[in-house]
Amino acid sequence: MLRGALSTMNIIASYDVEHMSSTSRIQREMRSLNEINPEAARFPCCLVWTPLPVVSWLAPFIGHVGICREDGIILDFSGSNFVNADDFAFGAVARYLQLDHSQCCFPPNPAAHTCNHGYWHTEFGTAITWDDALQSSVHQFEHKTYNLFTCNCHSFVASCLNRLCHGGSMGWNMINVAALVLFKGHWINSMSIIRSFLPFMVVLCIGVLMVGWPFFIGLFSISILLLGWYVFGTYCFKGLIEC
């Protein structure tokens, strides 16, 4: 009996040491991140966003997103079987949001999950570092077909966040990834705001002047239809948008 108790205590002590070591490592990594440098396009552990040509002119809330490695290099799913590295598609970053390592789950073994989704997280794919999670999603999306309506850059970022179990959540998808960047993201500068909304305003003004208010109603309807497609496809018909 004494031997069994000692064995159990040794296992618990070993787990505590391993867990503390893992936590300390993550904290050190967070402290050692480089500064955000928009001029050099370096955004360590950030989500980044830029407007899409034509699409953002009609619906400015839709854009292209990517996620960055610990060294700040941007990764973005921008075409079938292709994930960009350090070459953000569709222009410079307009908006960014830096995420916190401490809100992610990096289990060194199946018994060391800090999230509440241990089994689900393990089945989806865990990682021991930030970059490890991103690289696993890169390998996955290098074999996927890009489609603006069903499998796009938001799907890739959602996959990365689910591997990280960021915020203790395994429910990241196109909608909440877009909402996270749009509502919590920081603009690079005033020029990035102009670059994001000026084309939409120009299209809107020209359309209203030439066609009248029916153009505004039509443009608004397109935005509602696009938003409705993503919302219903994500939450109501989960097999409709699958990547």
Side-chain angles (χ1 to χ4, degrees):
M1 177 68 72
L2 181 59
R3 182 179 299 174
L6 288 173
S7 177
T8 301
M9 290 176 63
N10 288 335
I11 292 173
I12 293 173
S14 175
Y15 167 76
D16 288 341
V17 170
E18 186 176 17
H19 180 68
M20 290 175 63
S21 175
S22 175
T23 302
S24 299
R25 174 178 53 78
I26 293 169
Q27 290 173 345
R28 287 196 303 271
E29 288 175 352
M30 192 63 189
R31 286 195 297 268
S32 65
L33 290 179
N34 294 327
E35 293 292 325
I36 291 171
N37 186 350
E39 288 76 19
R42 291 294 181 267
F43 300 86
C45 297
C46 289
L47 302 185
V48 291
W49 181 94
T50 195
L52 279 168
V54 182
V55 177
S56 296
W57 302 353
L58 304 177
F61 59 88
I62 296 179
H64 183 68
V65 298
I67 188 168
C68 304
R69 299 185 329 207
E70 292 176 343
D71 60 4
I73 287 178
I74 304 171
L75 303 175
D76 62 301
F77 181 50
S78 55
S80 296
N81 310 314
F82 181 67
V83 177
N84 258 328
D86 201 20
D87 185 20
F88 197 35
F90 308 111
V93 173
R95 192 181 292 188
Y96 70 93
L97 175 65
Q98 190 168 47
L99 303 180
D100 188 350
H101 272 77
S102 65
Q103 295 186 32
C104 301
C105 177
F106 299 107
N109 60 65
H113 283 269
T114 57
C115 64
N116 296 321
H117 307 285
Y119 177 77
W120 187 12
H121 192 193
T122 300
E123 284 292 300
F124 187 87
T126 59
I128 57 174
T129 66
W130 178 278
D131 285 353
D132 181 43
L134 269 57
Q135 193 58 39
S136 295
S137 288
V138 167
H139 290 322
Q140 178 188 1
F141 276 75
E142 283 178 338
H143 304 284
K144 288 190 176 291
T145 301
Y146 184 95
N147 187 304
L148 179 64
F149 299 103
T150 59
C151 187
N152 55 40
C153 54
H154 292 75
S155 309
F156 170 68
V157 173
S159 172
C160 293
L161 295 182
N162 284 326
R163 288 183 189 279
L164 293 164
C165 201
H166 177 69
S169 173
M170 287 290 298
W172 291 102
N173 54 51
M174 291 186 191
I175 299 298
N176 50 29
V177 164
L180 183 64
V181 178
L182 291 177
F183 293 116
K184 292 190 175 182
H186 307 286
W187 292 103
I188 297 294
N189 49 40
S190 56
M191 185 56 64
S192 63
I193 301 175
I194 294 172
R195 183 166 62 89
S196 299
F197 290 103
L198 182 60
F200 169 74
M201 297 303 299
V202 170
V203 170
L204 179 61
C205 291
I206 292 176
V208 170
L209 287 174
M210 295 183 64
V211 180
W213 287 107
F215 179 85
F216 174 80
I217 296 172
L219 195 59
F220 181 74
S221 299
I222 290 174
S223 296
I224 293 298
L225 286 172
L226 284 172
L227 183 61
W229 165 265
Y230 292 121
V231 170
F232 281 96
T234 299
Y235 296 109
C236 301
F237 304 99
K238 295 191 177 181
L240 194 61
I241 295 180
E242 218 171 84
C243 186

